[in-house]
Amino acid sequence: MSRNNFSRVPVSQKAHTVKSSGDLSGIGSCVSIEINEKKVSVPLGTTILDACRNSQVHIPTLCHHEDLCVAGVCRICVVEVEGMKTLQTACTFPVTSPVKVKTTSPVVRKARRRIIELLLSEHYGECCSCIRNGNCELQSLAKEYGVDNYTFGHIQKPKYEADSSSSSVIRDMNKCVLCRRCVRTCIDLQEVGALEALNRGNETMIGTFLDKPLSDVICINCGQCINRCPTGALYTKDPSDEIWKAIDDPKKHVVIQTAPSPRAAIGEEFGIEPGHSFTQELNIALKRIGYDKVFDTNFTADLTIIEEGTELLSRLKKALVNKDPSVCLPQFTSCSPGWVKFIEHFNPEYLDYLSTAKSPQQMFGAITKTFYAKEAGIDPADIITVALMPCSAKKFECSRPEMTDSGFKDVDFGLTTRELAQMIKEAGIYLPEMPKSGFDDPFGEASGAGLIFGATGGVMEAALRTVYELVTGREVPFKNLVIEPCRGFEGIKQASVKLEKCVEKYNWLEGVELKFIVAHGTANAKKVMEMLQRGELKDVHFVEIMACPGGCLGGGGQPIPTSETIRSKRAEAIYKDEEGLPVRKSHENSHVNYLYENFLTDGPCGELSHKLLHTHYIKRGKFIS
Amino acid sequence: MYPHLTSKEKRGGPILFSGYNRGEGIKKAFSLKREDILFEIKTSGLKGRGGAGFPASTKWMLTAAAAAEKKFIVCNADEGEPGTFKDRVLLLEYPALVFEGMIIAGYTIGAQTGIVYLRGEYEFMLEFLEEYLIEMRNDNLLGENILGSNFSFDISIRLGSGAYVCGEETALIESLEGYRGEPRNRPPYPVNTGYMGYPTVVNNVETLSSVPHIILKGAEWFRKFGTDKSTGSKLFSVSGDCEKQGVYELPWGLTIQELLDFVNAKNTKAVQVGGASGVCLPKSQFNRKLAYEDAATGGSIIIFNKSRNMLKVLKNFMEFFVEESCGQCTPCRVGNVKLLEGVEKIEKGEYTLSYINTLKELGKTMKAASKCGLGQTSPNSFISILDNFKDEIFYPNGKRSKL
């Protein structure tokens, strides 16, 4: 139970939690309890909340989130437990004896309603002018409990100025209900610790270290806090007004690239069950909105694989053949901008381990404003590149000063799934009913390898398909190209594949066991970095890290709510789409090959590709000035 | 040397102030079996003196029964309840009782470490207490193999930083661990999962101080004082409108009126029993007994005479809670603000009685739904003052104040 890192200022909420019930249920002991006079049997240690949910008894919650440890601070879920003087929170109360629980007694109903009214009295703003209108847990609770007036008043003036210093995440504490989900997300789920509770009593607020602007602290822009905020206190910086302006400007050529994860999740914004992708419908919808071209980010995902794979092979050669001790292995992926900022803050001494390859988003921007502009005969100054991403950190990434290798801002706007859904709705389009269409050329073809970038392990799987085949001349030895060890939501996955009967060019790799690690969520990234520091990764060659739990499909720009079930459904949708694709290996993408033949003529990791497709990183450190 | 140590008059009392020789309690305790000590404490009926009144023996037994490689005894010296200043007297005048109570507790439950969580405002006594601990170590009353036994125990003192909520045992533990002082969810209780995750007994200074006497003179002797349900004596910190403010040790069960007479209080209108989180009683209830089963208190007795404005008294209390709520749970964080706003509305005469009744209802919800004792008790004074002094507050000069 004790927390292992006592030097950190932000406080883990884990010690407040109930002991895990897992080991108790393992021995099979059950308790018979009464919920509203109905007998049920539950494993010892189950919380009252879980016991009720399993018996179809609804308990309202606000500070509770299934991805996070319990807090028990909002008190919405209070229930009556016979023999206890006070009401107990269902989310924190572990059943260890045959208790009798009442979930809708007059005392309970009154308490819940009063608590909602108290929250509303301090909750500034009106629902109609809120970004979360229609998808707000406080609003739903008010409706559920029939709140029809502000019994305890309603705050008329904002108490705080919204912090819009970050390029990704905006914090408006006037709408905060102090459920602390963001704090728990930041410190416990992601182990970043940019957010914490400040002050005391009614001055309590969620803030940063010394209440500095978010842009000045160690926030990695992952946006996981947004996905778990029950209200409109946290949201992304929305560029859609500027995009609309560009679309309405006939001189501007507005192109959009769509990443695989938003396509697998955007249906949720239109009331569709998670697990359905709307890739082709989205193409039509985007055209109807007025985008001039719709491209597939998977195209540059393939390009990333070629560049990153080539880089890996050259690092391997330097290490294995030239015995160069300065080579940094394992090579870490660099396509997750949240992860990149994480390592820049927390492990800046290991930046050389990162692949220098840009993320697919940034490669796309650079290629669009150079190669595409030339091919299409458009002045790159008139091209506006928009990237539909599942990610809030992509907004920060595209505004990094080094991301201007095309001579312009490579990607003008990062747009999240939620923001695009809003644009589509505003354009009067119901996405699920759109006809289907493919992508525009010349970046319309993409392989399945690019598609699976959306799920944790996808980059690794894609890279292995290409690297293995390049080295041995044969397909990866996995049935149907599905590299199972890369899939699934386990925090850190380790596996290896042996390189045998290599082609002549790569005979120096003969017999090498290619070892790789896949991790998602920066809490797991931190563990991997600790392994690296302890020297445990000496024989590992390649590490994929995604900042968000589940990978991109769980990104900070994805539809709200999120949960492990929702994320795994999105993953299923991506994998299902992938199996149906004709081309499933990056190096077989003919458009990518065309690009190398006609534009990046000095090949992968060549001079031009180094200029356009590779980048460098900044040692930020974790100390805030 | 320590001018603040001198008291106005020689204290006397049946138990705690009855005189004590350093080391006596430990010596006797070491001659007893752990089970016997537990039995003795249980028989004595000793309950928590900080205000909550939880049986000390239950905490000890649960901790003793918990299997863990380490256990802790924490002495709660975060005496923050407004109007309470008894622990300060014990710490300054009877430190041996406090520390030996901790040692006996440690011996009984199998803990080797004791921590005194001293309220930040008591920093002035830190040096004195540290020196006292050194003396005890020199006399082999603390440290390795105490008095030649095979039991080792040591005590350290840690300072709080002035947060009222840190007197709540789980918030105190959070604070000890170096975190923001906020109450934890219970269960799990500290007796299982306390300081650093280990079983921990958190006892008030006065509770621990009673232990050596109980061990020396026996549970039956202890039970002779007080009532059936409130055994022993209590230190009352008496302040306000009376001639003899101070700390007095009196057996449980005396009436409020008896206490008022004892301190020469005249023209008393109201007595706040139990500090800001307690209840405010009018003259008609002065015949109530000071005991866990009737008018319970952690020691604070604040006396108000006829010249006092009860609404101002209430406002003062509510301002205190608005400031001292830890801000974690909704009912306490926002509820106290609403109660204070209600008081301000009454002050200005801009209220309706129905809204005041809604606020009283809110107070009941706060008592039922707050996470810790702070929010569960903060509406006490609001409800009791508005109920018990409604004529004065709502009908001054016999008329309803402005609507």
Side-chain angles (χ1 to χ4, degrees):
Chain A
M1 278 303 279
S2 68
R3 291 165 289 202
N4 48 18
N5 192 344
F6 289 95
S7 60
R8 296 284 299 279
V9 177
V11 181
S12 162
Q13 305 282 308
K14 277 181 184 162
H16 300 262
T17 61
V18 183
K19 267 187 187 167
S20 147
S21 60
D23 42 346
L24 291 169
S25 61
I27 54 171
S29 40
C30 282
V31 202
S32 180
I33 62 166
E34 264 183 40
I35 301 172
N36 300 336
E37 292 174 0
K38 188 173 156 261
K39 276 211 164 78
V40 288
S41 178
V42 296
L44 196 66
T46 311
T47 60
I48 291 178
L49 180 67
D50 288 339
C52 288
R53 287 191 171 166
N54 292 339
S55 346
Q56 287 74 50
V57 174
H58 172 71
I59 306 259
T61 55
L62 186 64
C63 69
H64 182 265
H65 193 284
E66 65 174 80
D67 287 337
L68 306 172
C69 62
V70 299
V73 297
C74 75
R75 316 303 285 179
I76 285 288
C77 69
V78 285
V79 293
E80 232 179 299
V81 178
E82 202 177 271
M84 307 289 281
K85 272 193 288 186
T86 55
L87 300 175
Q88 301 295 315
T89 37
C91 70
T92 66
F93 197 98
V95 176
T96 50
S97 56
V99 288
K100 289 181 183 171
V101 180
K102 283 185 192 158
T103 68
T104 53
S105 66
V107 184
V108 168
R109 287 201 318 269
K110 181 157 267 176
R112 288 183 188 157
R113 185 167 170 157
R114 291 282 179 252
I115 290 166
I116 295 165
E117 286 168 343
L118 286 177
L119 287 171
L120 288 173
S121 77
E122 298 274 286
H123 182 76
Y124 172 75
E126 297 297 335
C127 290
C128 282
S129 57
C130 179
I131 191 159
R132 290 289 293 274
N133 188 7
N135 185 17
C136 166
E137 292 179 42
L138 184 62
Q139 196 182 36
S140 312
L141 280 173
K143 185 159 185 252
E144 193 176 320
Y145 280 81
V147 174
D148 52 5
N149 67 343
Y150 294 120
T151 307
F152 302 113
H154 184 51
I155 187 167
Q156 294 298 318
K157 274 190 212 151
K159 260 166 106 175
Y160 309 100
E161 204 177 320
D163 176 4
S164 51
S165 61
S166 155
S167 10
S168 300
V169 182
I170 299 180
R171 298 172 60 245
D172 180 2
M173 287 305 100
N174 295 303
K175 288 186 175 155
C176 177
V177 291
L178 292 165
C179 68
R180 304 196 185 183
R181 282 192 196 170
C182 55
V183 178
R184 282 175 283 153
T185 302
C186 203
I187 184 64
D188 286 331
L189 189 74
Q190 292 291 68
E191 294 197 14
V192 172
L195 297 175
E196 59 186 320
L198 304 177
N199 306 335
R200 196 175 64 190
N202 68 328
E203 302 286 314
T204 307
M205 60 177 283
I206 305 303
T208 55
F209 177 69
L210 293 179
D211 204 19
K212 287 181 174 277
L214 200 59
S215 56
D216 291 1
V217 300
I218 50 170
C219 171
I220 62 166
N221 304 309
C222 68
Q224 291 301 305
C225 52
I226 302 175
N227 285 4
R228 287 168 185 79
C229 179
T231 69
L234 290 162
Y235 50 96
T236 44
K237 197 171 248 180
D238 187 353
S240 48
D241 282 346
E242 287 162 275
I243 296 172
W244 279 120
K245 215 162 121 188
I247 287 173
D248 295 338
D249 182 346
K251 272 194 283 184
K252 296 288 180 199
H253 184 78
V254 186
V255 305
I256 185 166
Q257 48 164 321
T258 70
S261 295
R263 299 172 343 206
I266 196 165
E268 295 163 34
E269 288 284 333
F270 294 89
I272 305 291
E273 283 287 300
H276 299 272
S277 50
F278 288 92
T279 310
Q280 297 203 316
E281 291 86 343
L282 197 57
N283 290 342
I284 295 286
L286 290 168
K287 280 291 176 62
R288 290 199 186 170
I289 286 176
Y291 287 96
D292 295 296
K293 292 283 175 191
V294 183
F295 296 138
D296 190 347
T297 304
N298 297 349
F299 167 82
T300 36
D302 285 335
L303 194 60
T304 302
I305 288 300
I306 305 292
E307 291 292 330
E308 208 164 296
T310 308
E311 185 186 0
L312 176 65
L313 286 170
S314 84
R315 284 195 196 196
L316 284 173
K317 187 163 190 184
K318 276 187 206 152
L320 297 174
V321 180
N322 308 345
K323 309 279 180 204
D324 179 352
S326 69
V327 175
C328 292
L329 278 174
Q331 175 178 308
F332 284 74
T333 59
S334 60
C335 31
S336 167
W339 152 241
V340 168
K341 191 150 186 267
F342 183 89
I343 188 174
E344 286 178 335
H345 279 304
F346 292 94
N347 303 92
E349 67 277 23
Y350 288 105
L351 282 178
D352 290 341
Y353 287 75
L354 275 185
S355 163
T356 58
K358 284 182 186 171
S359 69
Q361 162 178 292
Q362 291 309 127
M363 287 195 180
F364 216 117
I367 293 291
T368 304
K369 292 201 175 173
T370 51
F371 171 71
Y372 171 73
K374 207 167 105 194
E375 291 258 308
I378 302 168
D379 180 357
D382 287 333
I383 297 179
I384 298 292
T385 46
V386 181
L388 169 62
M389 290 289 150
C391 183
S392 49
K394 289 282 175 196
K395 294 170 187 286
F396 171 79
E397 186 187 31
C398 75
S399 56
R400 288 175 77 118
E402 60 270 26
M403 294 298 182
T404 50
D405 292 324
S406 63
F408 302 88
K409 193 179 173 197
D410 291 343
V411 172
D412 291 289
F413 302 110
L415 190 67
T416 66
T417 316
R418 294 190 296 268
E419 289 156 356
L420 179 70
Q422 184 57 47
M423 285 183 84
I424 293 175
K425 286 176 193 168
E426 201 176 333
I429 295 166
Y430 181 61
L431 180 70
E433 286 176 355
M434 283 290 106
K436 298 180 179 191
S437 156
F439 287 94
D440 286 315
D441 280 337
F443 307 134
E445 184 181 321
S447 79
L451 179 64
I452 57 174
F453 263 56
T456 167
V459 178
M460 184 59 67
E461 186 167 347
L464 287 177
R465 286 182 191 173
T466 290
V467 170
Y468 189 90
E469 195 162 328
L470 228 57
V471 171
T472 66
R474 300 182 307 277
E475 280 191 348
V476 279
F478 290 92
K479 195 186 162 202
N480 201 16
L481 294 175
V482 173
I483 307 179
E484 277 299 340
C486 294
R487 299 194 175 185
F489 283 163
E490 202 188 318
I492 299 175
K493 293 170 285 211
Q494 293 199 46
S496 64
V497 55
K498 199 159 189 177
L499 302 171
E500 282 169 317
K501 294 184 205 150
C502 298
V503 297
E504 207 190 324
K505 186 180 169 197
Y506 292 108
N507 57 11
W508 50 273
L509 276 168
E510 185 64 38
V512 169
E513 180 119 358
L514 196 62
K515 283 197 177 171
F516 54 89
I517 288 180
V518 173
H520 61 118
T522 44
N524 291 316
K526 195 174 191 176
K527 290 193 191 104
V528 173
M529 293 315 289
E530 282 162 6
M531 288 156 80
L532 180 65
Q533 279 163 336
R534 290 196 298 264
E536 290 166 20
L537 302 187
K538 287 216 168 75
D539 54 350
V540 176
H541 303 107
F542 198 23
V543 180
E544 177 205 305
I545 290 183
M546 292 292 156
C548 295
C552 302
L553 51 85
Q558 290 282 65
I560 300 169
T562 184
S563 70
E564 176 127 2
T565 319
I566 294 175
R567 293 192 292 275
S568 64
K569 288 211 171 125
R570 290 175 190 162
E572 277 169 33
I574 287 176
Y575 287 130
K576 204 176 98 201
D577 284 359
E578 200 264 333
E579 290 199 13
L581 288 180
V583 178
R584 297 177 60 203
K585 290 173 267 182
S586 299
H587 56 279
E588 288 177 2
N589 182 331
S590 62
H591 288 211
V592 168
N593 293 335
Y594 177 83
L595 187 70
Y596 279 115
E597 281 156 21
N598 295 289
F599 182 61
L600 304 167
T601 45
D602 47 358
C605 294
E607 202 178 319
L608 188 56
S609 81
H610 249 290
K611 179 175 179 296
L612 292 177
L613 307 182
H614 289 255
T615 184
H616 57 274
Y617 307 104
I618 300 163
K619 285 189 179 175
R620 293 179 199 272
K622 60 185 168 188
F623 298 102
I624 300 157
S625 55
Chain B
M1 185 178 170
Y2 295 104
H4 49 270
L5 295 189
T6 55
S7 50
K8 273 194 264 177
E9 54 189 280
K10 176 116 182 69
R11 295 180 205 283
I15 298 172
L16 295 169
F17 292 161
S18 65
Y20 182 74
N21 299 320
R22 185 159 88 191
E24 276 181 309
I26 308 183
K27 272 180 210 142
K28 176 78 185 292
F30 285 0
S31 70
L32 299 171
K33 281 197 234 143
R34 294 169 66 186
E35 308 86 83
D36 296 339
I37 296 178
L38 280 174
F39 182 76
E40 207 66 23
I41 300 295
K42 186 171 165 49
T43 317
S44 76
L46 177 66
K47 287 183 184 172
R49 299 300 199 230
F54 191 78
S57 62
T58 311
K59 275 190 189 180
W60 287 27
M61 279 177 192
L62 290 168
T63 316
E69 51 180 294
K70 280 190 216 170
K71 293 174 188 177
F72 291 92
I73 301 291
V74 173
C75 170
N76 184 348
D78 191 63
E79 185 174 41
E81 187 64 49
T84 317
F85 38 89
K86 57 172 182 84
D87 293 345
R88 148 193 193 127
V89 170
L90 280 173
L91 286 164
L92 288 173
E93 298 179 15
Y94 292 91
L97 278 182
V98 184
F99 295 142
E100 287 184 40
M102 291 176 74
I103 297 166
I104 295 169
Y107 172 73
T108 311
I109 65 153
Q112 302 205 317
T113 313
I115 304 169
V116 177
Y117 186 88
L118 190 65
R119 99 179 267 218
E121 290 86 337
Y122 288 175
E123 192 184 356
F124 69 88
M125 60 172 88
L126 183 64
E127 193 186 338
F128 163 72
L129 292 174
E130 293 279 15
E131 275 173 23
Y132 199 88
L133 286 174
I134 292 171
E135 276 176 37
M136 285 181 74
R137 281 186 205 111
N138 291 341
D139 294 353
N140 194 217
L141 293 168
L142 261 185
E144 297 292 314
N145 303 90
I146 296 172
L147 298 176
S149 70
N150 56 5
F151 176 66
S152 303
F153 188 83
D154 211 337
I155 294 174
S156 61
I157 303 175
R158 305 270 285 274
L159 276 178
S161 295
Y164 171 71
V165 74
C166 287
E168 198 281 341
E169 60 178 359
T170 58
L172 186 155
I173 291 170
E174 282 283 294
S175 171
L176 273 184
E177 289 184 6
Y179 299 109
R180 199 179 148 84
E182 287 180 339
R184 296 176 177 176
N185 291 307
R186 326 136 149 267
Y189 297 94
V191 289
N192 289 316
T193 309
Y195 180 60
M196 306 299 237
Y198 295 105
T200 304
V201 166
V202 183
N203 279 152
N204 179 263
V205 172
E206 192 184 343
T207 318
L208 288 165
S209 301
S210 307
V211 169
H213 284 292
I214 294 172
I215 297 301
L216 274 178
K217 298 171 196 158
E220 288 311 321
W221 167 81
F222 187 79
R223 291 189 70 91
K224 281 197 288 187
F225 305 99
T227 70
D228 264 5
K229 285 181 181 160
S230 310
T231 54
S233 65
K234 181 80 191 89
L235 298 191
F236 294 101
S237 321
V238 185
S239 61
D241 301 320
C242 65
E243 277 178 27
K244 297 197 288 177
Q245 300 99 334
V247 175
Y248 301 99
E249 186 189 11
L250 297 163
W252 279 115
L254 81 161
T255 63
I256 294 169
Q257 188 59 54
E258 282 165 354
L259 183 70
L260 291 174
D261 295 342
F262 186 79
V263 295
N264 278 352
K266 300 216 173 70
N267 293 323
T268 306
K269 174 163 76 176
V271 176
Q272 179 80 16
V273 180
S277 66
V279 289
C280 193
L281 301 178
K283 199 164 185 176
S284 60
Q285 298 189 32
F286 287 176
N287 58 351
R288 285 177 65 179
K289 281 180 178 170
L290 292 164
Y292 292 111
E293 63 271 24
D294 193 351
T297 171
S300 170
I301 300 286
I302 308 172
I303 304 170
F304 302 103
N305 70 16
K306 291 215 160 79
S307 69
R308 306 290 165 180
N309 177 333
M310 294 317 288
L311 196 61
K312 280 193 180 151
V313 169
L314 174 58
K315 190 177 175 190
N316 184 312
F317 287 150
M318 290 326 297
E319 282 170 346
F320 173 77
F321 287 120
V322 166
E323 164 127 4
E324 292 296 343
S325 163
C326 79
Q328 190 182 186
C329 79
T330 316
C332 178
R333 181 187 66 241
V334 195
N336 281 313
V337 174
K338 297 300 152 191
L339 298 189
L340 175 61
E341 282 173 12
V343 175
E344 286 164 351
K345 282 182 178 162
I346 300 172
E347 240 181 1
K348 289 185 208 148
E350 296 164 355
Y351 67 98
T352 61
L353 278 178
S354 75
Y355 184 64
I356 300 303
N357 285 333
T358 307
L359 288 179
K360 281 195 224 163
E361 291 259 324
L362 171 66
K364 284 181 194 153
T365 291
M366 289 166 66
K367 288 170 77 148
S370 292
K371 187 165 184 169
C372 80
L374 201 165
Q376 287 163 10
T377 55
S378 65
N380 282 345
S381 45
F382 183 87
I383 295 173
S384 63
I385 289 181
L386 292 189
D387 278 350
N388 294 333
F389 301 94
K390 57 173 175 274
D391 288 349
E392 173 191 330
I393 290 168
F394 298 114
Y395 307 102
N397 320 318
K399 277 199 301 199
R400 167 88 194 265
S401 59
K402 290 187 287 181
L403 188 69

